[in-house]
Amino acid sequence: SAVISQKPSRDICQRGTSLTIQCQVDSQVTMMFWYRQQPGQSLTLIATANQGSEATYESGFVIDKFPISRPNLTFSTLTVSNMSPEDSSIYLCSVLAGGLNTQYFGPGTRLTVL
Amino acid sequence: AQSVTQLDSQVPVFEEAPVELRCNYSSSVSVYLFWYVQYPNQGLQLLLKYLSGSTLVKGINGFEAEFNKSQTSFHLRKPSVHISDTAEYFCAVRAGQAGTALIFGKGTTLSVSS
């Protein structure tokens, strides 16, 4: 298994600003993912972040809005740029472990944009 | 492309009654299937998973699910629910080779009352 922590756990931000969310894993993992969970909705994959390569974004998500860093095998950041109220969501970091078959999730970062 | 359909958005049941949460998937390749639970204001927790082998999978908290390839289903069951089972339940699929991100269904809210 993998233990994942995220910082901050929650934040309230003003429109037009940016927030960087950190994800720390207790073991080295190759594949890391970022998801968004809008209020009352399911999880939507934002991007896949592998160490040593550019993140791969899903349809509807772009690097300018959600830049991702993956400097090593235990850490990643997701930045939500130029925020608007529509960005209010829970952002979750996730990793593959257990032979690349099981996905574990961090506790999430609850973002509110005013 | 793969997809997941959770047929019921809300399932209200009384305590000690049996429950079934339905999940259907579509994929042209072999799949790995998962159920996650999200308690109010908490992160995602893995309930159970089907990777291969026996089609009946047992998970935590007395839940089980059965993989039915011909019906492309992976329904979650519990013979007797408790108030503490009240939560959001997500079915998820990974198709093809290991190392790709999970795709989630929209979720089912299980509400257990006395």
Side-chain angles (χ1 to χ4, degrees):
Chain A
S1 66
V3 178
I4 306 168
S5 59
Q6 288 184 233
K7 289 182 181 179
S9 59
R10 59 178 62 225
D11 207 341
I12 300 173
C13 300
Q14 295 298 318
R15 181 196 300 260
T17 62
S18 297
L19 176 72
T20 295
I21 301 167
Q22 299 179 8
C23 175
Q24 181 74 53
V25 190
D26 69 340
S27 57
Q28 293 186 337
V29 294
T30 303
M31 305 201 71
M32 193 174 280
F33 309 101
W34 286 97
Y35 286 81
R36 179 174 74 182
Q37 186 178 21
Q38 294 178 301
Q41 302 296 316
S42 185
L43 283 79
T44 301
L45 180 65
I46 297 172
T48 300
N50 294 334
Q51 196 267 337
S53 63
E54 293 290 322
T56 303
Y57 290 83
E58 297 299 305
S59 175
F61 297 96
V62 295
I63 188 172
D64 289 346
K65 176 67 175 178
F66 297 102
I68 290 170
S69 77
R70 183 81 200 273
N72 58 52
L73 292 174
T74 63
F75 187 78
S76 177
T77 67
L78 169 77
T79 298
V80 186
S81 303
N82 188 24
M83 290 184 285
S84 67
E86 292 71 34
D87 294 320
S88 297
S89 294
I90 299 173
Y91 291 85
L92 297 111
C93 173
S94 178
V95 303
L96 272 177
L100 295 182
N101 284 321
T102 304
Q103 204 162 319
Y104 297 91
F105 287 83
T109 295
R110 186 179 295 270
L111 171 62
T112 301
V113 184
L114 303 178
Chain B
Q2 62 270 26
S3 66
V4 180
T5 302
Q6 291 185 242
L7 298 163
D8 307 294
S9 59
Q10 296 191 42
V11 174
V13 294
F14 288 108
E15 195 172 19
E16 298 183 8
V19 71
E20 178 180 82
L21 307 183
R22 297 180 292 169
C23 173
N24 286 89
Y25 68 92
S26 66
S27 174
S28 58
V29 297
S30 59
V31 295
Y32 304 105
L33 294 156
F34 304 79
W35 276 98
Y36 286 83
V37 59
Q38 187 176 38
Y39 297 103
N41 298 313
Q42 295 189 29
L44 281 167
Q45 182 179 0
L46 180 66
L47 261 183
L48 49 79
K49 59 186 176 183
Y50 171 78
L51 303 179
S52 64
S54 173
T55 57
L56 182 63
V57 179
K58 294 187 183 300
I60 62 172
N61 301 339
F63 283 93
E64 63 180 33
E66 185 160 17
F67 170 57
N68 188 318
K69 188 174 181 179
S70 63
Q71 297 188 9
T72 62
S73 68
F74 190 55
H75 300 333
L76 181 70
R77 303 186 182 98
K78 186 169 183 178
S80 175
V81 295
H82 302 289
I83 298 284
S84 59
D85 292 322
T86 295
E88 190 79 11
Y89 291 80
F90 294 98
C91 182
V93 63
R94 172 180 301 115
Q97 65 183 39
T100 55
L102 289 173
I103 304 300
F104 283 82
K106 292 186 180 297
T108 297
T109 302
L110 175 63
S111 300
V112 183
S113 57
S114 57

